[in-house]
Amino acid sequence: YLTAEQIERVLACARLAHWRRVPAIILMGFSTGLRLGALQQMRWRDVDLERRRVLTERTKNGRPQVSHLTERMVEELKKLPGGRAPESLVFCGKKDPLKAHNFSKAWERALKDAHVEYMPFHALRHSCASHAASRGASLVLLKDLLGHKSLRMVSRYSHLSIDDRAKFVDSVFV
């Protein structure tokens, strides 16, 4: 997965892309853990900048999911060019507000320019979970963050929260 420092380097390089939405979609992928398909289908009607929330009406598991937007993410979304018509896609192309933009070349270029080994965009989802787990997020919180139905899907991140378990064990079994 990408470290926070690598994310910052990739974001800095993404700011040079012709498609000015690249930094926002990268930051949103990292900070929300949303899948690429959910990001590409996100419409402005789904985004509440005041309450700092975004709704994914139907995730891969068939359920809706509400994700929190950081203050930084809200600021990135406010910088996006064009209007915010409710039916327009947040990450649309320059010409058609109802068509998702293929930004794979911009993603690959940002990785290359940041001197980060190629990885698919989906790595941002794993980076989000790994980053949260290493900072003490419980498996239940990770499950909710990623929109999984069961804890089994997030158990792969449990090794990253060993410090919290150690503190807990030390406090309970003195």
Side-chain angles (χ1 to χ4, degrees), residues 4-174:
E5 187 264 329
Q6 287 174 315
I7 292 288
E8 292 304 322
R9 289 196 335 247
V10 171
L11 282 169
C13 293
R15 294 196 190 292
L16 304 174
H18 291 292
W19 189 58
R20 293 187 29 213
R21 297 170 190 269
V22 177
I25 199 168
I26 291 171
L27 187 59
M28 187 169 268
F30 177 64
S31 66
T32 66
L34 288 172
R35 290 179 178 89
L36 177 59
L39 293 170
Q40 289 178 318
Q41 295 305 309
M42 185 182 305
R43 298 184 185 278
W44 280 110
R45 69 169 185 241
D46 303 324
V47 179
D48 185 341
L49 295 176
E50 263 187 47
R51 292 180 56 214
R52 295 172 41 197
R53 304 275 188 266
V54 64
L55 170 68
T56 303
E57 289 185 17
R58 186 180 170 105
T59 61
K60 182 179 173 184
N61 69 24
R63 295 181 180 176
Q65 178 180 347
V66 176
S67 300
H68 176 74
L69 299 174
T70 64
E71 201 57 52
R72 182 179 182 192
M73 189 67 253
V74 169
E75 292 308 312
E76 283 292 331
L77 288 171
K78 286 179 178 178
K79 290 180 198 174
L80 295 181
R84 293 190 193 128
E87 294 305 312
S88 294
L89 294 173
V90 175
F91 299 110
C92 62
K94 292 178 182 177
K95 296 178 182 175
D96 188 350
L98 302 178
K99 185 176 178 189
H101 182 74
N102 180 351
F103 67 99
S104 59
K105 288 190 188 319
W107 165 248
E108 292 170 15
R109 179 64 187 231
L111 287 170
K112 183 179 179 183
D113 290 351
H115 304 287
V116 174
E117 184 178 327
Y118 173 78
M119 53 186 65
F121 189 85
H122 192 76
L124 290 175
R125 183 170 165 80
H126 295 294
S127 300
C128 172
S130 298
H131 192 75
S134 68
R135 282 165 179 69
S138 68
L139 293 183
V140 172
L141 182 57
L142 288 175
K143 178 185 84 63
D144 291 342
L145 177 68
L146 298 176
H148 287 298
K149 284 184 178 179
S150 71
L151 289 173
R152 184 175 57 91
M153 294 301 295
V154 294
S155 62
R156 69 180 93 180
Y157 304 107
S158 65
H159 70 283
L160 296 171
S161 58
I162 187 66
D163 291 339
D164 277 351
R165 283 185 278 145
K167 286 178 194 172
F168 173 77
V169 171
D170 284 344
S171 70
V172 172
F173 302 103
V174 281

